[in-house]
Amino acid sequence: MARPSLTETAPVTLEQLHARWADLNARYFSGALPPIEIVWSARLTSSAGMFVSHAGPRSREDGHEGRARRLIRLSTPLLQHLSGRELLSTLAHEMIHQWQFDVRKRRPDHGEDFLEKMEAMNRDGLRITIHHTLDEEVSAFMTYAWRCLECGQDYRRQRRTIRPKDHRCGACLGLLGEVLPGKLPRKRRRIHPQHLAAQYRPSPFVQLELPFTAA
Ligand SMILES: [Zn+2]
Ligand SMILES: [Zn+2]
């Protein structure tokens, strides 16, 4: 069976995306964001957008001009059903993470600097949000769920691809626990780090990409 090509399903072309990226960069970041690869992903279904980096914000070990390789991934299956405004707010959300990573040299999160930028951009009507839970569009794809035992970040996947033995939270490196499908409690449970310390293993693990979602 032939798979539909991305150009058939992507809501806008990469050229149009880069034009919007450049516009937002000039308007809200004083043009300080260095160029970044933006890709449409047919396989990304855990979030509408995702800022991905393969090394820390201060790493110089790979990439050009001493920058670690990083990119912005956008979900074709999720964004093709959403409006252009939602696509723009998703791109803007990921650009704030890029700014945290490239300019502020810190690990992307939804901390104070994120909120300040978000509010400044929202004053102009961009409607960026921080999603802590996945919206219906996204969760329809998801069968399995894990929750960070430390910060409460949720991770959902279509298949059981997260192994708590090998994976750690993308936000805080905390341990993950699998939750029964459909049983994710509304309220995040915080477990004091002190109770987790004994469980940390020295073995290598994979830090998960944060499922950044913008409405
Ligand atoms: Zn965490
Ligand atoms: Zn985010």
Side-chain angles (χ1 to χ4, degrees), residues 6-20 38-40 74 76 79-80 82-84 87-88 91:
L6 278 183
T7 46
E8 278 167 6
T9 52
V12 301
T13 66
L14 288 177
E15 239 176 32
Q16 291 171 311
L17 270 181
H18 276 285
R20 290 174 191 187
I38 304 174
V39 296
W40 280 112
L74 298 173
T76 320
L79 286 169
Q80 68 184 340
L82 303 178
S83 70
L87 169 61
L88 197 63
L91 178 64

mmCIF file with all atom_site columns, all heavy atoms in Angstrom, residues 6-20 38-40 74 76 79-80 82-84 87-88 91:
data_model
loop_
_atom_site.group_PDB
_atom_site.id
_atom_site.type_symbol
_atom_site.label_atom_id
_atom_site.label_alt_id
_atom_site.label_comp_id
_atom_site.label_asym_id
_atom_site.label_entity_id
_atom_site.label_seq_id
_atom_site.pdbx_PDB_ins_code
_atom_site.Cartn_x
_atom_site.Cartn_y
_atom_site.Cartn_z
_atom_site.occupancy
_atom_site.B_iso_or_equiv
_atom_site.pdbx_formal_charge
_atom_site.auth_seq_id
_atom_site.auth_comp_id
_atom_site.auth_asym_id
_atom_site.auth_atom_id
_atom_site.pdbx_PDB_model_num
ATOM 1   N N   . LEU A 1 6  ? 4.214  13.352 2.128  1.00 0.00 ? 6  LEU A N   1
ATOM 2   C CA  . LEU A 1 6  ? 4.029  14.418 3.099  1.00 0.00 ? 6  LEU A CA  1
ATOM 3   C C   . LEU A 1 6  ? 3.481  15.679 2.455  1.00 0.00 ? 6  LEU A C   1
ATOM 4   O O   . LEU A 1 6  ? 2.740  16.421 3.069  1.00 0.00 ? 6  LEU A O   1
ATOM 5   C CB  . LEU A 1 6  ? 5.340  14.721 3.803  1.00 0.00 ? 6  LEU A CB  1
ATOM 6   C CG  . LEU A 1 6  ? 5.685  13.785 4.954  1.00 0.00 ? 6  LEU A CG  1
ATOM 7   C CD1 . LEU A 1 6  ? 6.955  14.233 5.621  1.00 0.00 ? 6  LEU A CD1 1
ATOM 8   C CD2 . LEU A 1 6  ? 4.553  13.748 5.972  1.00 0.00 ? 6  LEU A CD2 1
ATOM 9   N N   . THR A 1 7  ? 3.867  15.902 1.203  1.00 0.00 ? 7  THR A N   1
ATOM 10  C CA  . THR A 1 7  ? 3.408  17.130 0.559  1.00 0.00 ? 7  THR A CA  1
ATOM 11  C C   . THR A 1 7  ? 1.902  17.098 0.358  1.00 0.00 ? 7  THR A C   1
ATOM 12  O O   . THR A 1 7  ? 1.257  18.125 0.248  1.00 0.00 ? 7  THR A O   1
ATOM 13  C CB  . THR A 1 7  ? 4.103  17.338 -0.803 1.00 0.00 ? 7  THR A CB  1
ATOM 14  O OG1 . THR A 1 7  ? 4.064  16.109 -1.504 1.00 0.00 ? 7  THR A OG1 1
ATOM 15  C CG2 . THR A 1 7  ? 5.527  17.801 -0.633 1.00 0.00 ? 7  THR A CG2 1
ATOM 16  N N   . GLU A 1 8  ? 1.354  15.871 0.316  1.00 0.00 ? 8  GLU A N   1
ATOM 17  C CA  . GLU A 1 8  ? -0.097 15.772 0.145  1.00 0.00 ? 8  GLU A CA  1
ATOM 18  C C   . GLU A 1 8  ? -0.841 16.091 1.433  1.00 0.00 ? 8  GLU A C   1
ATOM 19  O O   . GLU A 1 8  ? -1.964 16.547 1.410  1.00 0.00 ? 8  GLU A O   1
ATOM 20  C CB  . GLU A 1 8  ? -0.476 14.362 -0.312 1.00 0.00 ? 8  GLU A CB  1
ATOM 21  C CG  . GLU A 1 8  ? -0.296 14.166 -1.805 1.00 0.00 ? 8  GLU A CG  1
ATOM 22  C CD  . GLU A 1 8  ? -0.382 12.689 -2.178 1.00 0.00 ? 8  GLU A CD  1
ATOM 23  O OE1 . GLU A 1 8  ? -0.684 11.872 -1.303 1.00 0.00 ? 8  GLU A OE1 1
ATOM 24  O OE2 . GLU A 1 8  ? -0.142 12.382 -3.342 1.00 0.00 ? 8  GLU A OE2 1
ATOM 25  N N   . THR A 1 9  ? -0.206 15.787 2.569  1.00 0.00 ? 9  THR A N   1
ATOM 26  C CA  . THR A 1 9  ? -0.936 15.905 3.819  1.00 0.00 ? 9  THR A CA  1
ATOM 27  C C   . THR A 1 9  ? -0.473 17.066 4.699  1.00 0.00 ? 9  THR A C   1
ATOM 28  O O   . THR A 1 9  ? -1.214 17.511 5.549  1.00 0.00 ? 9  THR A O   1
ATOM 29  C CB  . THR A 1 9  ? -0.818 14.607 4.638  1.00 0.00 ? 9  THR A CB  1
ATOM 30  O OG1 . THR A 1 9  ? 0.564  14.279 4.750  1.00 0.00 ? 9  THR A OG1 1
ATOM 31  C CG2 . THR A 1 9  ? -1.563 13.481 3.970  1.00 0.00 ? 9  THR A CG2 1
ATOM 32  N N   . ALA A 1 10 ? 0.754  17.545 4.485  1.00 0.00 ? 10 ALA A N   1
ATOM 33  C CA  . ALA A 1 10 ? 1.229  18.648 5.321  1.00 0.00 ? 10 ALA A CA  1
ATOM 34  C C   . ALA A 1 10 ? 0.374  19.886 5.062  1.00 0.00 ? 10 ALA A C   1
ATOM 35  O O   . ALA A 1 10 ? 0.117  20.229 3.918  1.00 0.00 ? 10 ALA A O   1
ATOM 36  C CB  . ALA A 1 10 ? 2.697  18.940 5.028  1.00 0.00 ? 10 ALA A CB  1
ATOM 37  N N   . PRO A 1 11 ? -0.090 20.542 6.163  1.00 0.00 ? 11 PRO A N   1
ATOM 38  C CA  . PRO A 1 11 ? -0.976 21.695 5.994  1.00 0.00 ? 11 PRO A CA  1
ATOM 39  C C   . PRO A 1 11 ? -0.323 22.859 5.242  1.00 0.00 ? 11 PRO A C   1
ATOM 40  O O   . PRO A 1 11 ? -0.987 23.561 4.499  1.00 0.00 ? 11 PRO A O   1
ATOM 41  C CB  . PRO A 1 11 ? -1.302 22.111 7.427  1.00 0.00 ? 11 PRO A CB  1
ATOM 42  C CG  . PRO A 1 11 ? -0.911 20.963 8.286  1.00 0.00 ? 11 PRO A CG  1
ATOM 43  C CD  . PRO A 1 11 ? 0.133  20.201 7.550  1.00 0.00 ? 11 PRO A CD  1
ATOM 44  N N   . VAL A 1 12 ? 0.962  23.079 5.464  1.00 0.00 ? 12 VAL A N   1
ATOM 45  C CA  . VAL A 1 12 ? 1.670  24.118 4.709  1.00 0.00 ? 12 VAL A CA  1
ATOM 46  C C   . VAL A 1 12 ? 3.033  23.573 4.315  1.00 0.00 ? 12 VAL A C   1
ATOM 47  O O   . VAL A 1 12 ? 3.538  22.648 4.924  1.00 0.00 ? 12 VAL A O   1
ATOM 48  C CB  . VAL A 1 12 ? 1.860  25.437 5.520  1.00 0.00 ? 12 VAL A CB  1
ATOM 49  C CG1 . VAL A 1 12 ? 0.533  26.019 5.959  1.00 0.00 ? 12 VAL A CG1 1
ATOM 50  C CG2 . VAL A 1 12 ? 2.760  25.213 6.713  1.00 0.00 ? 12 VAL A CG2 1
ATOM 51  N N   . THR A 1 13 ? 3.625  24.154 3.310  1.00 0.00 ? 13 THR A N   1
ATOM 52  C CA  . THR A 1 13 ? 4.925  23.673 2.858  1.00 0.00 ? 13 THR A CA  1
ATOM 53  C C   . THR A 1 13 ? 6.028  24.119 3.821  1.00 0.00 ? 13 THR A C   1
ATOM 54  O O   . THR A 1 13 ? 5.828  25.027 4.627  1.00 0.00 ? 13 THR A O   1
ATOM 55  C CB  . THR A 1 13 ? 5.266  24.234 1.467  1.00 0.00 ? 13 THR A CB  1
ATOM 56  O OG1 . THR A 1 13 ? 5.417  25.654 1.608  1.00 0.00 ? 13 THR A OG1 1
ATOM 57  C CG2 . THR A 1 13 ? 4.166  23.930 0.468  1.00 0.00 ? 13 THR A CG2 1
ATOM 58  N N   . LEU A 1 14 ? 7.171  23.466 3.706  1.00 0.00 ? 14 LEU A N   1
ATOM 59  C CA  . LEU A 1 14 ? 8.304  23.837 4.557  1.00 0.00 ? 14 LEU A CA  1
ATOM 60  C C   . LEU A 1 14 ? 8.736  25.271 4.281  1.00 0.00 ? 14 LEU A C   1
ATOM 61  O O   . LEU A 1 14 ? 9.165  25.980 5.189  1.00 0.00 ? 14 LEU A O   1
ATOM 62  C CB  . LEU A 1 14 ? 9.469  22.869 4.337  1.00 0.00 ? 14 LEU A CB  1
ATOM 63  C CG  . LEU A 1 14 ? 9.264  21.463 4.913  1.00 0.00 ? 14 LEU A CG  1
ATOM 64  C CD1 . LEU A 1 14 ? 10.453 20.568 4.576  1.00 0.00 ? 14 LEU A CD1 1
ATOM 65  C CD2 . LEU A 1 14 ? 9.043  21.510 6.414  1.00 0.00 ? 14 LEU A CD2 1
ATOM 66  N N   . GLU A 1 15 ? 8.610  25.676 3.041  1.00 0.00 ? 15 GLU A N   1
ATOM 67  C CA  . GLU A 1 15 ? 8.963  27.057 2.682  1.00 0.00 ? 15 GLU A CA  1
ATOM 68  C C   . GLU A 1 15 ? 8.093  28.056 3.448  1.00 0.00 ? 15 GLU A C   1
ATOM 69  O O   . GLU A 1 15 ? 8.583  29.037 4.010  1.00 0.00 ? 15 GLU A O   1
ATOM 70  C CB  . GLU A 1 15 ? 8.769  27.268 1.182  1.00 0.00 ? 15 GLU A CB  1
ATOM 71  C CG  . GLU A 1 15 ? 10.025 27.693 0.463  1.00 0.00 ? 15 GLU A CG  1
ATOM 72  C CD  . GLU A 1 15 ? 9.777  27.798 -1.039 1.00 0.00 ? 15 GLU A CD  1
ATOM 73  O OE1 . GLU A 1 15 ? 8.646  28.139 -1.436 1.00 0.00 ? 15 GLU A OE1 1
ATOM 74  O OE2 . GLU A 1 15 ? 10.731 27.525 -1.783 1.00 0.00 ? 15 GLU A OE2 1
ATOM 75  N N   . GLN A 1 16 ? 6.799  27.777 3.475  1.00 0.00 ? 16 GLN A N   1
ATOM 76  C CA  . GLN A 1 16 ? 5.868  28.645 4.209  1.00 0.00 ? 16 GLN A CA  1
ATOM 77  C C   . GLN A 1 16 ? 6.165  28.635 5.706  1.00 0.00 ? 16 GLN A C   1
ATOM 78  O O   . GLN A 1 16 ? 6.113  29.668 6.365  1.00 0.00 ? 16 GLN A O   1
ATOM 79  C CB  . GLN A 1 16 ? 4.423  28.178 3.966  1.00 0.00 ? 16 GLN A CB  1
ATOM 80  C CG  . GLN A 1 16 ? 3.944  28.422 2.542  1.00 0.00 ? 16 GLN A CG  1
ATOM 81  C CD  . GLN A 1 16 ? 2.613  27.745 2.281  1.00 0.00 ? 16 GLN A CD  1
ATOM 82  O OE1 . GLN A 1 16 ? 2.442  26.573 2.580  1.00 0.00 ? 16 GLN A OE1 1
ATOM 83  N NE2 . GLN A 1 16 ? 1.664  28.480 1.726  1.00 0.00 ? 16 GLN A NE2 1
ATOM 84  N N   . LEU A 1 17 ? 6.509  27.439 6.210  1.00 0.00 ? 17 LEU A N   1
ATOM 85  C CA  . LEU A 1 17 ? 6.851  27.328 7.629  1.00 0.00 ? 17 LEU A CA  1
ATOM 86  C C   . LEU A 1 17 ? 8.054  28.181 7.964  1.00 0.00 ? 17 LEU A C   1
ATOM 87  O O   . LEU A 1 17 ? 8.086  28.887 8.978  1.00 0.00 ? 17 LEU A O   1
ATOM 88  C CB  . LEU A 1 17 ? 7.158  25.872 7.991  1.00 0.00 ? 17 LEU A CB  1
ATOM 89  C CG  . LEU A 1 17 ? 6.015  24.984 8.452  1.00 0.00 ? 17 LEU A CG  1
ATOM 90  C CD1 . LEU A 1 17 ? 6.567  23.611 8.783  1.00 0.00 ? 17 LEU A CD1 1
ATOM 91  C CD2 . LEU A 1 17 ? 5.315  25.586 9.656  1.00 0.00 ? 17 LEU A CD2 1
ATOM 92  N N   . HIS A 1 18 ? 9.087  28.101 7.122  1.00 0.00 ? 18 HIS A N   1
ATOM 93  C CA  . HIS A 1 18 ? 10.310 28.865 7.380  1.00 0.00 ? 18 HIS A CA  1
ATOM 94  C C   . HIS A 1 18 ? 10.051 30.364 7.287  1.00 0.00 ? 18 HIS A C   1
ATOM 95  O O   . HIS A 1 18 ? 10.655 31.143 8.016  1.00 0.00 ? 18 HIS A O   1
ATOM 96  C CB  . HIS A 1 18 ? 11.434 28.418 6.443  1.00 0.00 ? 18 HIS A CB  1
ATOM 97  C CG  . HIS A 1 18 ? 12.162 27.217 6.965  1.00 0.00 ? 18 HIS A CG  1
ATOM 98  N ND1 . HIS A 1 18 ? 13.069 27.286 8.003  1.00 0.00 ? 18 HIS A ND1 1
ATOM 99  C CD2 . HIS A 1 18 ? 12.081 25.913 6.623  1.00 0.00 ? 18 HIS A CD2 1
ATOM 100 C CE1 . HIS A 1 18 ? 13.529 26.061 8.269  1.00 0.00 ? 18 HIS A CE1 1
ATOM 101 N NE2 . HIS A 1 18 ? 12.944 25.219 7.452  1.00 0.00 ? 18 HIS A NE2 1
ATOM 102 N N   . ALA A 1 19 ? 9.120  30.744 6.419  1.00 0.00 ? 19 ALA A N   1
ATOM 103 C CA  . ALA A 1 19 ? 8.767  32.164 6.315  1.00 0.00 ? 19 ALA A CA  1
ATOM 104 C C   . ALA A 1 19 ? 8.100  32.629 7.613  1.00 0.00 ? 19 ALA A C   1
ATOM 105 O O   . ALA A 1 19 ? 8.388  33.712 8.135  1.00 0.00 ? 19 ALA A O   1
ATOM 106 C CB  . ALA A 1 19 ? 7.847  32.389 5.124  1.00 0.00 ? 19 ALA A CB  1
ATOM 107 N N   . ARG A 1 20 ? 7.212  31.792 8.167  1.00 0.00 ? 20 ARG A N   1
ATOM 108 C CA  . ARG A 1 20 ? 6.559  32.141 9.434  1.00 0.00 ? 20 ARG A CA  1
ATOM 109 C C   . ARG A 1 20 ? 7.557  32.158 10.580 1.00 0.00 ? 20 ARG A C   1
ATOM 110 O O   . ARG A 1 20 ? 7.497  33.004 11.478 1.00 0.00 ? 20 ARG A O   1
ATOM 111 C CB  . ARG A 1 20 ? 5.439  31.140 9.742  1.00 0.00 ? 20 ARG A CB  1
ATOM 112 C CG  . ARG A 1 20 ? 4.281  31.315 8.797  1.00 0.00 ? 20 ARG A CG  1
ATOM 113 C CD  . ARG A 1 20 ? 3.238  30.253 8.976  1.00 0.00 ? 20 ARG A CD  1
ATOM 114 N NE  . ARG A 1 20 ? 2.291  30.327 7.851  1.00 0.00 ? 20 ARG A NE  1
ATOM 115 C CZ  . ARG A 1 20 ? 1.188  29.606 7.782  1.00 0.00 ? 20 ARG A CZ  1
ATOM 116 N NH1 . ARG A 1 20 ? 0.880  28.780 8.746  1.00 0.00 ? 20 ARG A NH1 1
ATOM 117 N NH2 . ARG A 1 20 ? 0.388  29.725 6.748  1.00 0.00 ? 20 ARG A NH2 1
ATOM 118 N N   . ILE A 1 38 ? 13.200 22.556 10.308 1.00 0.00 ? 38 ILE A N   1
ATOM 119 C CA  . ILE A 1 38 ? 11.818 22.269 10.697 1.00 0.00 ? 38 ILE A CA  1
ATOM 120 C C   . ILE A 1 38 ? 11.336 21.124 9.820  1.00 0.00 ? 38 ILE A C   1
ATOM 121 O O   . ILE A 1 38 ? 11.503 21.165 8.603  1.00 0.00 ? 38 ILE A O   1
ATOM 122 C CB  . ILE A 1 38 ? 10.902 23.494 10.487 1.00 0.00 ? 38 ILE A CB  1
ATOM 123 C CG1 . ILE A 1 38 ? 11.440 24.704 11.261 1.00 0.00 ? 38 ILE A CG1 1
ATOM 124 C CG2 . ILE A 1 38 ? 9.476  23.189 10.948 1.00 0.00 ? 38 ILE A CG2 1
ATOM 125 C CD1 . ILE A 1 38 ? 10.677 26.003 10.984 1.00 0.00 ? 38 ILE A CD1 1
ATOM 126 N N   . VAL A 1 39 ? 10.797 20.094 10.447 1.00 0.00 ? 39 VAL A N   1
ATOM 127 C CA  . VAL A 1 39 ? 10.355 18.945 9.646  1.00 0.00 ? 39 VAL A CA  1
ATOM 128 C C   . VAL A 1 39 ? 8.915  18.574 9.966  1.00 0.00 ? 39 VAL A C   1
ATOM 129 O O   . VAL A 1 39 ? 8.462  18.691 11.107 1.00 0.00 ? 39 VAL A O   1
ATOM 130 C CB  . VAL A 1 39 ? 11.255 17.696 9.864  1.00 0.00 ? 39 VAL A CB  1
ATOM 131 C CG1 . VAL A 1 39 ? 12.675 17.967 9.393  1.00 0.00 ? 39 VAL A CG1 1
ATOM 132 C CG2 . VAL A 1 39 ? 11.265 17.269 11.319 1.00 0.00 ? 39 VAL A CG2 1
ATOM 133 N N   . TRP A 1 40 ? 8.205  18.136 8.954  1.00 0.00 ? 40 TRP A N   1
ATOM 134 C CA  . TRP A 1 40 ? 6.894  17.521 9.154  1.00 0.00 ? 40 TRP A CA  1
ATOM 135 C C   . TRP A 1 40 ? 7.113  16.065 9.471  1.00 0.00 ? 40 TRP A C   1
ATOM 136 O O   . TRP A 1 40 ? 7.880  15.386 8.785  1.00 0.00 ? 40 TRP A O   1
ATOM 137 C CB  . TRP A 1 40 ? 6.049  17.637 7.889  1.00 0.00 ? 40 TRP A CB  1
ATOM 138 C CG  . TRP A 1 40 ? 5.420  18.962 7.712  1.00 0.00 ? 40 TRP A CG  1
ATOM 139 C CD1 . TRP A 1 40 ? 5.719  19.885 6.752  1.00 0.00 ? 40 TRP A CD1 1
ATOM 140 C CD2 . TRP A 1 40 ? 4.382  19.532 8.511  1.00 0.00 ? 40 TRP A CD2 1
ATOM 141 N NE1 . TRP A 1 40 ? 4.919  20.995 6.912  1.00 0.00 ? 40 TRP A NE1 1
ATOM 142 C CE2 . TRP A 1 40 ? 4.097  20.805 7.979  1.00 0.00 ? 40 TRP A CE2 1
ATOM 143 C CE3 . TRP A 1 40 ? 3.666  19.097 9.631  1.00 0.00 ? 40 TRP A CE3 1
ATOM 144 C CZ2 . TRP A 1 40 ? 3.121  21.646 8.527  1.00 0.00 ? 40 TRP A CZ2 1
ATOM 145 C CZ3 . TRP A 1 40 ? 2.707  19.927 10.174 1.00 0.00 ? 40 TRP A CZ3 1
ATOM 146 C CH2 . TRP A 1 40 ? 2.438  21.181 9.619  1.00 0.00 ? 40 TRP A CH2 1
ATOM 147 N N   . LEU A 1 74 ? 7.050  18.850 13.582 1.00 0.00 ? 74 LEU A N   1
ATOM 148 C CA  . LEU A 1 74 ? 5.612  19.132 13.644 1.00 0.00 ? 74 LEU A CA  1
ATOM 149 C C   . LEU A 1 74 ? 4.838  17.919 13.150 1.00 0.00 ? 74 LEU A C   1
ATOM 150 O O   . LEU A 1 74 ? 5.257  17.252 12.199 1.00 0.00 ? 74 LEU A O   1
ATOM 151 C CB  . LEU A 1 74 ? 5.281  20.360 12.789 1.00 0.00 ? 74 LEU A CB  1
ATOM 152 C CG  . LEU A 1 74 ? 5.938  21.680 13.220 1.00 0.00 ? 74 LEU A CG  1
ATOM 153 C CD1 . LEU A 1 74 ? 5.658  22.762 12.182 1.00 0.00 ? 74 LEU A CD1 1
ATOM 154 C CD2 . LEU A 1 74 ? 5.448  22.125 14.592 1.00 0.00 ? 74 LEU A CD2 1
ATOM 155 N N   . THR A 1 76 ? 2.226  15.961 11.250 1.00 0.00 ? 76 THR A N   1
ATOM 156 C CA  . THR A 1 76 ? 1.289  16.053 10.125 1.00 0.00 ? 76 THR A CA  1
ATOM 157 C C   . THR A 1 76 ? -0.103 15.553 10.513 1.00 0.00 ? 76 THR A C   1
ATOM 158 O O   . THR A 1 76 ? -1.086 16.246 10.290 1.00 0.00 ? 76 THR A O   1
ATOM 159 C CB  . THR A 1 76 ? 1.801  15.252 8.915  1.00 0.00 ? 76 THR A CB  1
ATOM 160 O OG1 . THR A 1 76 ? 3.199  15.443 8.804  1.00 0.00 ? 76 THR A OG1 1
ATOM 161 C CG2 . THR A 1 76 ? 1.129  15.695 7.640  1.00 0.00 ? 76 THR A CG2 1
ATOM 162 N N   . LEU A 1 79 ? -1.761 18.195 13.076 1.00 0.00 ? 79 LEU A N   1
ATOM 163 C CA  . LEU A 1 79 ? -1.946 19.586 12.670 1.00 0.00 ? 79 LEU A CA  1
ATOM 164 C C   . LEU A 1 79 ? -2.772 19.747 11.397 1.00 0.00 ? 79 LEU A C   1
ATOM 165 O O   . LEU A 1 79 ? -3.312 20.817 11.140 1.00 0.00 ? 79 LEU A O   1
ATOM 166 C CB  . LEU A 1 79 ? -0.581 20.269 12.514 1.00 0.00 ? 79 LEU A CB  1
ATOM 167 C CG  . LEU A 1 79 ? 0.104  20.576 13.851 1.00 0.00 ? 79 LEU A CG  1
ATOM 168 C CD1 . LEU A 1 79 ? 1.551  20.991 13.631 1.00 0.00 ? 79 LEU A CD1 1
ATOM 169 C CD2 . LEU A 1 79 ? -0.650 21.682 14.600 1.00 0.00 ? 79 LEU A CD2 1
ATOM 170 N N   . GLN A 1 80 ? -2.893 18.684 10.618 1.00 0.00 ? 80 GLN A N   1
ATOM 171 C CA  . GLN A 1 80 ? -3.659 18.846 9.387  1.00 0.00 ? 80 GLN A CA  1
ATOM 172 C C   . GLN A 1 80 ? -5.150 19.066 9.677  1.00 0.00 ? 80 GLN A C   1
ATOM 173 O O   . GLN A 1 80 ? -5.885 19.558 8.830  1.00 0.00 ? 80 GLN A O   1
ATOM 174 C CB  . GLN A 1 80 ? -3.450 17.670 8.442  1.00 0.00 ? 80 GLN A CB  1
ATOM 175 C CG  . GLN A 1 80 ? -4.019 16.356 8.919  1.00 0.00 ? 80 GLN A CG  1
ATOM 176 C CD  . GLN A 1 80 ? -3.681 15.223 7.974  1.00 0.00 ? 80 GLN A CD  1
ATOM 177 O OE1 . GLN A 1 80 ? -3.355 15.439 6.820  1.00 0.00 ? 80 GLN A OE1 1
ATOM 178 N NE2 . GLN A 1 80 ? -3.734 13.996 8.470  1.00 0.00 ? 80 GLN A NE2 1
ATOM 179 N N   . LEU A 1 82 ? -6.126 20.921 12.255 1.00 0.00 ? 82 LEU A N   1
ATOM 180 C CA  . LEU A 1 82 ? -6.245 22.165 13.022 1.00 0.00 ? 82 LEU A CA  1
ATOM 181 C C   . LEU A 1 82 ? -6.121 23.376 12.106 1.00 0.00 ? 82 LEU A C   1
ATOM 182 O O   . LEU A 1 82 ? -5.672 23.287 10.974 1.00 0.00 ? 82 LEU A O   1
ATOM 183 C CB  . LEU A 1 82 ? -5.182 22.205 14.130 1.00 0.00 ? 82 LEU A CB  1
ATOM 184 C CG  . LEU A 1 82 ? -5.221 21.020 15.106 1.00 0.00 ? 82 LEU A CG  1
ATOM 185 C CD1 . LEU A 1 82 ? -4.109 21.135 16.125 1.00 0.00 ? 82 LEU A CD1 1
ATOM 186 C CD2 . LEU A 1 82 ? -6.575 20.938 15.800 1.00 0.00 ? 82 LEU A CD2 1
ATOM 187 N N   . SER A 1 83 ? -6.499 24.516 12.641 1.00 0.00 ? 83 SER A N   1
ATOM 188 C CA  . SER A 1 83 ? -6.483 25.736 11.832 1.00 0.00 ? 83 SER A CA  1
ATOM 189 C C   . SER A 1 83 ? -5.060 26.283 11.690 1.00 0.00 ? 83 SER A C   1
ATOM 190 O O   . SER A 1 83 ? -4.144 25.877 12.401 1.00 0.00 ? 83 SER A O   1
ATOM 191 C CB  . SER A 1 83 ? -7.362 26.783 12.500 1.00 0.00 ? 83 SER A CB  1
ATOM 192 O OG  . SER A 1 83 ? -6.740 27.227 13.684 1.00 0.00 ? 83 SER A OG  1
ATOM 193 N N   . GLY A 1 84 ? -4.910 27.236 10.767 1.00 0.00 ? 84 GLY A N   1
ATOM 194 C CA  . GLY A 1 84 ? -3.612 27.873 10.568 1.00 0.00 ? 84 GLY A CA  1
ATOM 195 C C   . GLY A 1 84 ? -3.145 28.578 11.831 1.00 0.00 ? 84 GLY A C   1
ATOM 196 O O   . GLY A 1 84 ? -1.954 28.643 12.126 1.00 0.00 ? 84 GLY A O   1
ATOM 197 N N   . LEU A 1 87 ? -1.600 26.057 14.088 1.00 0.00 ? 87 LEU A N   1
ATOM 198 C CA  . LEU A 1 87 ? -0.283 25.696 13.573 1.00 0.00 ? 87 LEU A CA  1
ATOM 199 C C   . LEU A 1 87 ? 0.738  26.759 13.971 1.00 0.00 ? 87 LEU A C   1
ATOM 200 O O   . LEU A 1 87 ? 1.838  26.461 14.432 1.00 0.00 ? 87 LEU A O   1
ATOM 201 C CB  . LEU A 1 87 ? -0.333 25.558 12.045 1.00 0.00 ? 87 LEU A CB  1
ATOM 202 C CG  . LEU A 1 87 ? 1.009  25.432 11.329 1.00 0.00 ? 87 LEU A CG  1
ATOM 203 C CD1 . LEU A 1 87 ? 1.752  24.184 11.796 1.00 0.00 ? 87 LEU A CD1 1
ATOM 204 C CD2 . LEU A 1 87 ? 0.800  25.374 9.822  1.00 0.00 ? 87 LEU A CD2 1
ATOM 205 N N   . LEU A 1 88 ? 0.347  28.020 13.841 1.00 0.00 ? 88 LEU A N   1
ATOM 206 C CA  . LEU A 1 88 ? 1.252  29.117 14.173 1.00 0.00 ? 88 LEU A CA  1
ATOM 207 C C   . LEU A 1 88 ? 1.576  29.120 15.672 1.00 0.00 ? 88 LEU A C   1
ATOM 208 O O   . LEU A 1 88 ? 2.728  29.325 16.066 1.00 0.00 ? 88 LEU A O   1
ATOM 209 C CB  . LEU A 1 88 ? 0.624  30.450 13.762 1.00 0.00 ? 88 LEU A CB  1
ATOM 210 C CG  . LEU A 1 88 ? 1.591  31.631 13.670 1.00 0.00 ? 88 LEU A CG  1
ATOM 211 C CD1 . LEU A 1 88 ? 2.636  31.388 12.592 1.00 0.00 ? 88 LEU A CD1 1
ATOM 212 C CD2 . LEU A 1 88 ? 0.839  32.932 13.400 1.00 0.00 ? 88 LEU A CD2 1
ATOM 213 N N   . LEU A 1 91 ? 4.054  26.358 16.324 1.00 0.00 ? 91 LEU A N   1
ATOM 214 C CA  . LEU A 1 91 ? 5.400  26.739 15.891 1.00 0.00 ? 91 LEU A CA  1
ATOM 215 C C   . LEU A 1 91 ? 6.008  27.739 16.879 1.00 0.00 ? 91 LEU A C   1
ATOM 216 O O   . LEU A 1 91 ? 7.169  27.607 17.276 1.00 0.00 ? 91 LEU A O   1
ATOM 217 C CB  . LEU A 1 91 ? 5.340  27.349 14.486 1.00 0.00 ? 91 LEU A CB  1
ATOM 218 C CG  . LEU A 1 91 ? 6.672  27.841 13.900 1.00 0.00 ? 91 LEU A CG  1
ATOM 219 C CD1 . LEU A 1 91 ? 7.641  26.673 13.706 1.00 0.00 ? 91 LEU A CD1 1
ATOM 220 C CD2 . LEU A 1 91 ? 6.445  28.564 12.567 1.00 0.00 ? 91 LEU A CD2 1
#
